[in-house]
Amino acid sequence: MSSETVKRPPSGPRAEAKRQAIVRAARELFLREGFGVGMDAIAAEAGVSKVTVYNHFGSKEALFTAVITSALDEPLAGASPATLEGLTEAEDLRAAFIDAARAWVHAVRTNREVAALRNLIAAEAHRFPELGHAWKSHGPASHHPAVAGALRTLADQGRLVIPDLETAIIQLYALLVFPHMVFGSYGTQIDDDLTNRLVIGGVDMFLDHYGPNQT
Amino acid sequence: MSSETVKRPPSGPRAEAKRQAIVRAARELFLREGFGVGMDAIAAEAGVSKVTVYNHFGSKEALFTAVITSALDEPLAGASPATLEGLTEAEDLRAAFIDAARAWVHAVRTNREVAALRNLIAAEAHRFPELGHAWKSHGPASHHPAVAGALRTLADQGRLVIPDLETAIIQLYALLVFPHMVFGSYGTQIDDDLTNRLVIGGVDMFLDHYGPNQT
DNA sequence: CAACTGAACTGAACCGTTGAGTTCATCTGA
DNA sequence: TCAGATGAACTCAACGGTTCAGTTCAGTTG
């Protein structure tokens, strides 16, 4: 009888290179054209034979999930945790807050791919139910704890008065990053000037409300 | 020569009923299954022959745009403009503000279909470029002027101090409705209790910052 | 009321295309 | 040598859209 080779993904150094090229091309095309893009197009974009694609990933759906999961681990959070940490020991809280907010907003604004990914997943969620969960857990929840920790520390230091931490966190997100996410999903972008005013105004509003001077 | 009948959509009482049934079924299936759903399925769901569908709408794309545009005119804004108007002549500004905000948030939260529609359009935007524009103009921009008017009036009355109206409007949206839109597009919903805290906290934060007592 | 009319509807078969996935003989490079 | 890559040709199913012969139904006429 024959050698009974069950279909397994190829391994080896060159195989890995091809694999990366395929994922990269697939990601780009999925993002640009949606899930409806053809496998031939993906193979061509990757500079690879269609058969090779099917040797690595057994199906289009498997390739799609591979793209999503790989994209999930990669660009997480940007530089936000570092600046968030520095917040608790800053001398000028408002200035440090504005700096951190600016970096954070910049990360959200430039990563247009993240928004596109979210739309893709939402649109194709019915075909990949388990992907929604993976996305949600890797989404904003990832550096959510960092923000929570920073706010709690500031409250413990007496520099902020936060009666309801959960609400405060969402409000902070809302004032700083949600506008860019919402407008982005509408296809429009907030210009630099308005972005700046939103950062400063948002921070001032937040500190105005939760600062120790006020009730 | 022959009767030269150019293809025109059927008219008459019975035709109109069928047409509505088709649009309703198509909307439901597009929302649930995405644009990839088959015309046969839509016809079946509408209790109608596929030919009838093609007699009314010449193509799948035409049907899709019909669904979108019909959905655009229908549930607009809810009851927000009325409550917004009452704001400028309310005795207790905070209480009236909270009432208005609650109604507004409720409208956004219950209309889960609106969010799903937005995702659909975003996902299929490359196939229907003109639809994105129609959506944007009918989206939040529709009662945006009402909010702007109310805030301006309150500022003129001296009950609010708003140096930057554009920023203030976005902040109001951000504090009250954006959280529900963002979470909704992630597939999760904000529970009633947190919703309530966000409404009250958001209004307090806004009034705290823009009220005449503060700078 | 019965017969007629014509537009709208039906059901099923059908066509052409597209796209996922496979097969296979052949090439390539460590 | 041999696993992995290649390309071209192929299968198969789904889907958009059409055709057609026959049916429903609202309204009109005698």
Side-chain angles (χ1 to χ4, degrees), chain A residues 17-18 21-22 25-26 39-50 52-53:
Chain A
K18 297 283 183 182
I22 294 171
M39 293 294 270
D40 302 86
I42 293 176
E45 171 79 18
V48 144
S49 168
K50 193 165 80 158
T52 305
V53 176

Side-chain angles (χ1 to χ4, degrees), chain B residues 127-196:
Chain B
R127 216 189 304 249
F128 308 92
E130 73 278 9
L131 233 54
H133 292 166
W135 171 258
K136 262 189 285 183
S137 62
H138 275 72
S142 58
H143 53 34
H144 185 121
V147 176
L151 286 187
R152 200 186 337 258
T153 303
L154 286 170
D156 289 347
Q157 293 173 339
R159 307 175 79 181
L160 290 181
V161 178
I162 302 180
D164 182 347
L165 185 60
E166 191 179 13
T167 299
I169 293 173
I170 295 183
Q171 286 173 330
L172 190 59
Y173 276 88
L175 286 173
L176 295 178
V177 306
F178 284 0
H180 299 275
M181 296 175 65
V182 171
F183 278 63
S185 87
Y186 274 87
T188 55
Q189 266 225 19
I190 298 178
D191 66 79
D192 289 7
D193 180 52
L194 182 53
T195 297
N196 192 43

